[in-house]
Tab-separated table of all heavy atoms in Angstrom:
chain	number	residue	atom	x	y	z
L	24	ALA	N	119.078	-137.605	-84.674
L	24	ALA	CA	119.214	-136.290	-84.049
L	24	ALA	C	118.707	-135.200	-84.981
L	24	ALA	O	117.999	-134.270	-84.562
L	24	ALA	CB	120.666	-136.031	-83.660
L	25	LEU	N	119.057	-135.302	-86.261
L	25	LEU	CA	118.577	-134.309	-87.228
L	25	LEU	C	117.065	-134.383	-87.353
L	25	LEU	O	116.377	-133.348	-87.383
L	25	LEU	CB	119.238	-134.548	-88.585
L	25	LEU	CG	118.818	-133.584	-89.702
L	25	LEU	CD1	119.147	-132.140	-89.333
L	25	LEU	CD2	119.481	-133.965	-91.019
L	26	ALA	N	116.532	-135.595	-87.421
L	26	ALA	CA	115.084	-135.760	-87.540
L	26	ALA	C	114.357	-135.164	-86.344
L	26	ALA	O	113.317	-134.507	-86.489
L	26	ALA	CB	114.738	-137.242	-87.680
L	27	ARG	N	114.906	-135.391	-85.158
L	27	ARG	CA	114.278	-134.876	-83.942
L	27	ARG	C	114.163	-133.358	-83.983
L	27	ARG	O	113.085	-132.793	-83.738
L	27	ARG	CB	115.096	-135.293	-82.711
L	27	ARG	CG	114.665	-134.577	-81.430
L	27	ARG	CD	115.490	-134.984	-80.221
L	27	ARG	NE	115.176	-134.159	-79.077
L	27	ARG	CZ	114.093	-134.296	-78.323
L	27	ARG	NH1	113.225	-135.245	-78.594
L	27	ARG	NH2	113.872	-133.504	-77.293
L	28	HIS	N	115.245	-132.696	-84.313
L	28	HIS	CA	115.246	-131.236	-84.230
L	28	HIS	C	114.631	-130.568	-85.468
L	28	HIS	O	113.821	-129.641	-85.324
L	28	HIS	CB	116.674	-130.734	-83.999
L	28	HIS	CG	117.214	-131.107	-82.654
L	28	HIS	ND1	116.672	-130.629	-81.487
L	28	HIS	CD2	118.235	-131.931	-82.291
L	28	HIS	CE1	117.327	-131.132	-80.445
L	28	HIS	NE2	118.274	-131.921	-80.910
L	29	LEU	N	115.000	-131.034	-86.647
L	29	LEU	CA	114.450	-130.385	-87.835
L	29	LEU	C	112.964	-130.684	-87.960
L	29	LEU	O	112.182	-129.810	-88.355
L	29	LEU	CB	115.206	-130.834	-89.084
L	29	LEU	CG	114.855	-130.092	-90.373
L	29	LEU	CD1	115.011	-128.578	-90.204
L	29	LEU	CD2	115.699	-130.594	-91.537
L	30	GLY	N	112.549	-131.900	-87.610
L	30	GLY	CA	111.124	-132.214	-87.656
L	30	GLY	C	110.310	-131.300	-86.768
L	30	GLY	O	109.266	-130.774	-87.174
L	31	ARG	N	110.776	-131.092	-85.552
L	31	ARG	CA	110.059	-130.197	-84.640
L	31	ARG	C	110.083	-128.755	-85.139
L	31	ARG	O	109.076	-128.048	-85.053
L	31	ARG	CB	110.670	-130.301	-83.238
L	31	ARG	CG	110.240	-131.559	-82.486
L	31	ARG	CD	111.110	-131.828	-81.274
L	31	ARG	NE	110.560	-132.884	-80.419
L	31	ARG	CZ	110.653	-134.190	-80.688
L	31	ARG	NH1	111.275	-134.592	-81.792
L	31	ARG	NH2	110.116	-135.086	-79.859
L	32	ALA	N	111.212	-128.320	-85.652
L	32	ALA	CA	111.304	-126.947	-86.153
L	32	ALA	C	110.312	-126.710	-87.289
L	32	ALA	O	109.592	-125.690	-87.308
L	32	ALA	CB	112.728	-126.662	-86.633
L	33	LEU	N	110.248	-127.647	-88.219
L	33	LEU	CA	109.336	-127.498	-89.355
L	33	LEU	C	107.885	-127.554	-88.905
L	33	LEU	O	107.042	-126.775	-89.381
L	33	LEU	CB	109.603	-128.585	-90.395
L	33	LEU	CG	111.003	-128.644	-91.015
L	33	LEU	CD1	111.084	-129.767	-92.042
L	33	LEU	CD2	111.395	-127.313	-91.644
L	34	GLN	N	107.568	-128.463	-87.980
L	34	GLN	CA	106.185	-128.586	-87.535
L	34	GLN	C	105.732	-127.354	-86.760
L	34	GLN	O	104.599	-126.873	-86.942
L	34	GLN	CB	106.015	-129.841	-86.668
L	34	GLN	CG	104.572	-130.115	-86.254
L	34	GLN	CD	103.661	-130.373	-87.443
L	34	GLN	OE1	104.124	-130.834	-88.490
L	34	GLN	NE2	102.379	-130.090	-87.291
L	35	LEU	N	106.579	-126.824	-85.901
L	35	LEU	CA	106.216	-125.611	-85.160
L	35	LEU	C	106.028	-124.435	-86.110
L	35	LEU	O	105.136	-123.592	-85.914
L	35	LEU	CB	107.293	-125.294	-84.119
L	35	LEU	CG	107.387	-126.297	-82.959
L	35	LEU	CD1	108.643	-126.027	-82.126
L	35	LEU	CD2	106.136	-126.255	-82.075
L	36	THR	N	106.852	-124.385	-87.160
L	36	THR	CA	106.679	-123.333	-88.168
L	36	THR	C	105.334	-123.487	-88.867
L	36	THR	O	104.612	-122.500	-89.082
L	36	THR	CB	107.824	-123.385	-89.193
L	36	THR	OG1	109.074	-123.201	-88.509
L	36	THR	CG2	107.671	-122.295	-90.243
L	37	ASN	N	104.978	-124.712	-89.216
L	37	ASN	CA	103.685	-124.946	-89.861
L	37	ASN	C	102.522	-124.607	-88.935
L	37	ASN	O	101.494	-124.091	-89.389
L	37	ASN	CB	103.588	-126.406	-90.311
L	37	ASN	CG	104.297	-126.666	-91.620
L	37	ASN	OD1	104.414	-125.774	-92.456
L	37	ASN	ND2	104.780	-127.876	-91.808
L	38	ILE	N	102.667	-124.901	-87.655
L	38	ILE	CA	101.616	-124.552	-86.693
L	38	ILE	C	101.375	-123.046	-86.702
L	38	ILE	O	100.220	-122.585	-86.717
L	38	ILE	CB	102.006	-125.043	-85.281
L	38	ILE	CG1	101.813	-126.566	-85.186
L	38	ILE	CG2	101.188	-124.327	-84.193
L	38	ILE	CD1	102.360	-127.180	-83.919
L	39	LEU	N	102.443	-122.276	-86.715
L	39	LEU	CA	102.314	-120.817	-86.728
L	39	LEU	C	101.764	-120.314	-88.059
L	39	LEU	O	101.045	-119.314	-88.101
L	39	LEU	CB	103.680	-120.186	-86.451
L	39	LEU	CG	104.193	-120.374	-85.017
L	39	LEU	CD1	105.649	-119.940	-84.905
L	39	LEU	CD2	103.330	-119.595	-84.031
L	40	ARG	N	102.080	-121.007	-89.119
L	40	ARG	CA	101.625	-120.602	-90.447
L	40	ARG	C	100.142	-120.918	-90.650
L	40	ARG	O	99.452	-120.248	-91.416
L	40	ARG	CB	102.471	-121.334	-91.490
L	40	ARG	CG	102.452	-120.736	-92.886
L	40	ARG	CD	103.307	-121.593	-93.798
L	40	ARG	NE	103.540	-120.969	-95.091
L	40	ARG	CZ	104.137	-121.574	-96.103
L	40	ARG	NH1	104.553	-122.820	-95.978
L	40	ARG	NH2	104.317	-120.948	-97.252
L	41	ASP	N	99.654	-121.958	-89.954
L	41	ASP	CA	98.301	-122.465	-90.204
L	41	ASP	C	97.311	-122.143	-89.091
L	41	ASP	O	96.292	-122.822	-88.948
L	41	ASP	CB	98.357	-123.989	-90.389
L	41	ASP	CG	99.158	-124.414	-91.612
L	41	ASP	OD1	99.331	-123.589	-92.517
L	41	ASP	OD2	99.609	-125.574	-91.646
L	42	LEU	N	97.587	-121.128	-88.297
L	42	LEU	CA	96.706	-120.805	-87.175
L	42	LEU	C	95.252	-120.654	-87.604
L	42	LEU	O	94.338	-121.208	-86.969
L	42	LEU	CB	97.176	-119.512	-86.491
L	42	LEU	CG	98.429	-119.598	-85.629
L	42	LEU	CD1	98.840	-118.197	-85.179
L	42	LEU	CD2	98.198	-120.506	-84.420
L	43	ASP	N	95.014	-119.904	-88.657
L	43	ASP	CA	93.642	-119.635	-89.069
L	43	ASP	C	92.978	-120.870	-89.668
L	43	ASP	O	91.810	-121.156	-89.373
L	43	ASP	CB	93.622	-118.477	-90.068
L	43	ASP	CG	94.095	-117.180	-89.440
L	43	ASP	OD1	93.342	-116.592	-88.654
L	43	ASP	OD2	95.234	-116.758	-89.718
L	44	GLU	N	93.718	-121.608	-90.501
L	44	GLU	CA	93.164	-122.820	-91.100
L	44	GLU	C	92.820	-123.854	-90.038
L	44	GLU	O	91.762	-124.497	-90.093
L	44	GLU	CB	94.160	-123.406	-92.105
L	44	GLU	CG	94.369	-122.564	-93.355
L	44	GLU	CD	95.405	-121.469	-93.178
L	44	GLU	OE1	95.819	-121.206	-92.018
L	44	GLU	OE2	95.805	-120.870	-94.194
L	45	ASP	N	93.704	-124.014	-89.059
L	45	ASP	CA	93.443	-124.992	-88.002
L	45	ASP	C	92.249	-124.584	-87.150
L	45	ASP	O	91.417	-125.427	-86.788
L	45	ASP	CB	94.691	-125.151	-87.117
L	45	ASP	CG	95.822	-125.881	-87.836
L	45	ASP	OD1	95.536	-126.660	-88.758
L	45	ASP	OD2	96.992	-125.649	-87.479
L	46	ALA	N	92.163	-123.299	-86.828
L	46	ALA	CA	91.021	-122.832	-86.031
L	46	ALA	C	89.716	-123.056	-86.772
L	46	ALA	O	88.673	-123.324	-86.153
L	46	ALA	CB	91.186	-121.358	-85.686
L	47	GLY	N	89.770	-122.990	-88.094
L	47	GLY	CA	88.576	-123.206	-88.901
L	47	GLY	C	88.010	-124.605	-88.782
L	47	GLY	O	86.825	-124.826	-89.059
L	48	ILE	N	88.839	-125.571	-88.354
L	48	ILE	CA	88.337	-126.927	-88.138
L	48	ILE	C	88.385	-127.291	-86.644
L	48	ILE	O	88.412	-128.462	-86.277
L	48	ILE	CB	89.108	-127.963	-88.979
L	48	ILE	CG1	90.618	-127.923	-88.704
L	48	ILE	CG2	88.834	-127.767	-90.456
L	48	ILE	CD1	91.393	-129.041	-89.411
L	49	GLY	N	88.440	-126.245	-85.811
L	49	GLY	CA	88.316	-126.459	-84.374
L	49	GLY	C	89.574	-126.886	-83.664
L	49	GLY	O	89.497	-127.478	-82.580
L	50	ARG	N	90.734	-126.579	-84.243
L	50	ARG	CA	91.992	-126.993	-83.624
L	50	ARG	C	92.867	-125.789	-83.305
L	50	ARG	O	92.818	-124.760	-83.974
L	50	ARG	CB	92.753	-127.953	-84.549
L	50	ARG	CG	92.034	-129.268	-84.786
L	50	ARG	CD	92.747	-130.134	-85.788
L	50	ARG	NE	91.992	-131.348	-86.076
L	50	ARG	CZ	92.256	-132.161	-87.095
L	50	ARG	NH1	93.266	-131.897	-87.906
L	50	ARG	NH2	91.516	-133.246	-87.290
L	51	LEU	N	93.697	-125.973	-82.287
L	51	LEU	CA	94.643	-124.936	-81.873
L	51	LEU	C	95.851	-125.636	-81.258
L	51	LEU	O	95.738	-126.251	-80.193
L	51	LEU	CB	94.001	-123.996	-80.852
L	51	LEU	CG	94.908	-122.901	-80.283
L	51	LEU	CD1	95.250	-121.866	-81.356
L	51	LEU	CD2	94.246	-122.228	-79.094
L	52	TYR	N	96.985	-125.558	-81.932
L	52	TYR	CA	98.153	-126.317	-81.505
L	52	TYR	C	99.122	-125.521	-80.627
L	52	TYR	O	100.120	-126.072	-80.175
L	52	TYR	CB	98.903	-126.858	-82.729
L	52	TYR	CG	98.109	-127.875	-83.520
L	52	TYR	CD1	97.366	-127.496	-84.638
L	52	TYR	CD2	98.091	-129.210	-83.141
L	52	TYR	CE1	96.636	-128.420	-85.361
L	52	TYR	CE2	97.357	-130.150	-83.861
L	52	TYR	CZ	96.637	-129.748	-84.975
L	52	TYR	OH	95.903	-130.670	-85.690
L	53	LEU	N	98.849	-124.245	-80.375
L	53	LEU	CA	99.701	-123.489	-79.466
L	53	LEU	C	99.562	-124.057	-78.054
L	53	LEU	O	98.455	-124.308	-77.586
L	53	LEU	CB	99.317	-122.005	-79.472
L	53	LEU	CG	99.592	-121.227	-80.766
L	53	LEU	CD1	99.116	-119.794	-80.618
L	53	LEU	CD2	101.067	-121.269	-81.136
L	54	ALA	N	100.689	-124.233	-77.376
L	54	ALA	CA	100.675	-124.848	-76.051
L	54	ALA	C	99.926	-123.981	-75.042
L	54	ALA	O	99.997	-122.746	-75.083
L	54	ALA	CB	102.103	-125.102	-75.578
L	55	ARG	N	99.233	-124.644	-74.140
L	55	ARG	CA	98.453	-123.907	-73.132
L	55	ARG	C	99.358	-123.041	-72.263
L	55	ARG	O	98.951	-121.973	-71.803
L	55	ARG	CB	97.647	-124.877	-72.273
L	55	ARG	CG	98.457	-125.753	-71.327
L	55	ARG	CD	97.583	-126.715	-70.546
L	55	ARG	NE	96.871	-127.612	-71.440
L	55	ARG	CZ	96.214	-128.704	-71.028
L	55	ARG	NH1	96.179	-128.985	-69.725
L	55	ARG	NH2	95.605	-129.485	-71.869
L	56	GLU	N	100.608	-123.511	-72.041
L	56	GLU	CA	101.537	-122.702	-71.246
L	56	GLU	C	101.824	-121.364	-71.920
L	56	GLU	O	101.974	-120.346	-71.245
L	56	GLU	CB	102.843	-123.472	-71.029
L	56	GLU	CG	102.732	-124.677	-70.101
L	56	GLU	CD	102.409	-125.969	-70.817
L	56	GLU	OE1	101.861	-125.904	-71.961
L	56	GLU	OE2	102.696	-127.044	-70.267
L	57	TRP	N	101.909	-121.371	-73.248
L	57	TRP	CA	102.153	-120.111	-73.969
L	57	TRP	C	100.930	-119.204	-73.897
L	57	TRP	O	101.070	-117.987	-73.752
L	57	TRP	CB	102.491	-120.412	-75.430
L	57	TRP	CG	103.727	-121.240	-75.610
L	57	TRP	CD1	104.810	-121.309	-74.775
L	57	TRP	CD2	104.004	-122.133	-76.695
L	57	TRP	NE1	105.749	-122.171	-75.284
L	57	TRP	CE2	105.284	-122.695	-76.446
L	57	TRP	CE3	103.324	-122.498	-77.851
L	57	TRP	CZ2	105.878	-123.604	-77.329
L	57	TRP	CZ3	103.902	-123.405	-78.722
L	57	TRP	CH2	105.169	-123.955	-78.463
L	58	LEU	N	99.751	-119.786	-73.997
L	58	LEU	CA	98.524	-118.988	-73.899
L	58	LEU	C	98.387	-118.404	-72.501
L	58	LEU	O	98.033	-117.227	-72.342
L	58	LEU	CB	97.308	-119.839	-74.241
L	58	LEU	CG	97.244	-120.411	-75.667
L	58	LEU	CD1	96.009	-121.295	-75.817
L	58	LEU	CD2	97.228	-119.306	-76.713
L	59	ASP	N	98.666	-119.200	-71.490
L	59	ASP	CA	98.584	-118.712	-70.109
L	59	ASP	C	99.552	-117.549	-69.892
L	59	ASP	O	99.196	-116.539	-69.263
L	59	ASP	CB	98.901	-119.837	-69.124
L	59	ASP	CG	97.805	-120.892	-69.060
L	59	ASP	OD1	96.677	-120.596	-69.498
L	59	ASP	OD2	98.096	-122.011	-68.584
L	60	ALA	N	100.774	-117.694	-70.406
L	60	ALA	CA	101.776	-116.636	-70.240
L	60	ALA	C	101.355	-115.357	-70.944
L	60	ALA	O	101.732	-114.252	-70.520
L	60	ALA	CB	103.128	-117.107	-70.759
L	61	ALA	N	100.555	-115.495	-71.998
L	61	ALA	CA	100.070	-114.323	-72.735
L	61	ALA	C	98.796	-113.749	-72.124
L	61	ALA	O	98.290	-112.726	-72.597
L	61	ALA	CB	99.812	-114.691	-74.200
L	62	GLY	N	98.284	-114.405	-71.077
L	62	GLY	CA	97.071	-113.927	-70.428
L	62	GLY	C	95.799	-114.335	-71.138
L	62	GLY	O	94.728	-113.764	-70.885
């Protein structure tokens, strides 16, 4: 249970921290539903 929740929390934090680095290699981990909601 701890692994499930803390693992996801840490990974989502890293996704937000690494937006520019990931885009630099052609990746974007933000969910399409979030992008759609933002227009």
Side-chain angles (χ1 to χ4, degrees):
L25 180 60
R27 169 181 172 77
H28 292 295
L29 188 55
R31 283 165 170 78
L33 300 181
Q34 185 62 27
L35 292 170
T36 301
N37 279 331
I38 285 171
L39 290 170
R40 198 181 190 187
D41 296 339
L42 286 173
D43 296 286
E44 292 85 348
D45 289 334
I48 56 174
R50 295 175 184 167
L51 177 69
Y52 295 96
L53 292 178
R55 70 182 61 168
E56 290 91 338
W57 299 333
L58 297 177
D59 289 342

